[in-house]
Amino acid sequence: MYEMNLPEHWKAIRLEEIADVRAGTGFPIKYQGNVEGKYPFYKVSDMNITGNETLMYASNNWVNEDTVKTLKAKLFPKDTVIFPKVGAAVHTNKKRILSIKGLVDNNVMGVTIRDYDLCIPYYLLYWFELIDLGDLSNPGPLPAITATKVKNTIITLPPLPEQRAIANILQTIQGAKFTRQREVELIDELFRAMLEELMTGQRSAIKHV
């Protein structure tokens, strides 16, 4: 995170003072693949699902209470901010927020605010957008982020009204960004479809009277 001069009424504190930080749970293959269940069990790959660009909705794996108990897993609350914590995925810098209570696997880190009177979830999410996850990872051939490193990171906190205003502005801009990206994707799909039809003679470019 880059250096900045903070307004006097803002605070700068360690993240552990306002949030719980922990990694997810190991997810044995035999429990994977269920498309129905009570709780989503998110993996890093689920962050790439269309619709999960900010809020995590869709999941390729779901589990019920009995599996949660068997795995001795601890659920993450709604509004937890998650991101990859190990391997090359760290450098994708993906940050997401849970739309419902759920689980994440042990390649993912979760940060959950304890007191919403100090920080709101979307402010935390956008604050993380300033963070290069590579800077939080340990050096070496396999990048890895520890909970201790995240807990000791300094977060800057304006008063709640300013947090809400900042989050609202950034949500609006981000929404416009995703809309434009989808429009570009649709145009590209149309181009590819027309390319195939025109270049294979399935459709004529010349209208005959």
Side-chain angles (χ1 to χ4, degrees):
M1 187 173 178
Y2 54 81
E3 295 289 335
M4 63 179 72
N5 294 319
L6 297 178
E8 292 183 0
H9 61 290
W10 286 37
K11 296 187 295 185
I13 62 176
R14 288 197 307 275
L15 189 58
E16 66 177 346
E17 295 183 46
I18 64 164
D20 295 320
V21 181
R22 61 185 174 90
T25 303
F27 195 18
I29 293 177
K30 66 179 180 179
Y31 296 110
Q32 298 180 29
N34 294 319
V35 296
E36 295 181 350
K38 186 174 182 179
Y39 304 112
F41 204 134
Y42 293 114
K43 305 175 75 173
V44 171
S45 58
D46 291 314
M47 296 182 187
N48 299 322
I49 297 175
T50 300
N52 283 358
E53 291 85 359
T54 301
L55 273 170
M56 296 293 289
Y57 291 106
S59 176
N60 289 314
N61 298 279
W62 291 76
V63 294
N64 289 313
E65 290 282 5
D66 56 345
T67 303
V68 174
K69 293 178 180 177
T70 299
L71 297 176
K72 297 180 180 179
K74 185 177 179 181
L75 292 160
F76 285 88
K78 174 181 178 293
D79 293 332
T80 295
V81 173
I82 63 171
F83 49 85
K85 64 173 284 289
V86 66
V90 167
H91 295 296
T92 66
N93 266 310
K94 290 183 172 67
K95 295 98 176 182
R96 304 290 190 265
I97 190 167
L98 299 188
S99 65
I100 59 174
K101 183 186 294 185
L103 296 171
V104 301
D105 78 2
N106 54 359
N107 293 311
V108 178
M109 186 78 73
V111 181
T112 307
I113 296 169
R114 290 194 298 271
D115 189 348
Y116 286 6
D117 288 332
L118 295 176
C119 183
I120 63 172
Y122 269 93
Y123 179 82
L124 177 66
L125 174 67
Y126 291 127
W127 172 79
F128 261 109
E129 292 293 353
L130 288 174
I131 303 293
D132 184 336
L133 296 180
D135 292 340
L136 291 178
S137 64
N138 295 328
L142 182 67
I145 299 173
T146 66
T148 299
K149 186 78 170 182
V150 178
K151 289 177 182 178
N152 287 328
T153 303
I154 301 298
I155 181 171
T156 54
L157 292 176
L160 286 181
E162 287 188 55
Q163 290 185 34
R164 296 189 186 99
I166 290 168
N168 287 339
I169 291 169
L170 294 175
Q171 277 182 279
T172 299
I173 296 172
Q174 191 173 49
K177 170 188 171 184
F178 291 145
T179 298
R180 180 60 59 86
Q181 285 177 338
R182 183 53 184 154
E183 289 172 351
V184 172
E185 289 170 0
L186 290 172
I187 292 171
D188 185 62
E189 290 172 11
L190 176 61
F191 171 78
R192 291 294 172 186
M194 292 299 294
L195 176 68
E196 182 174 350
E197 290 185 12
L198 290 169
M199 300 303 288
T200 58
Q202 298 176 50
R203 177 180 296 213
S204 175
I206 302 174
K207 293 184 178 179
H208 298 281
V209 179

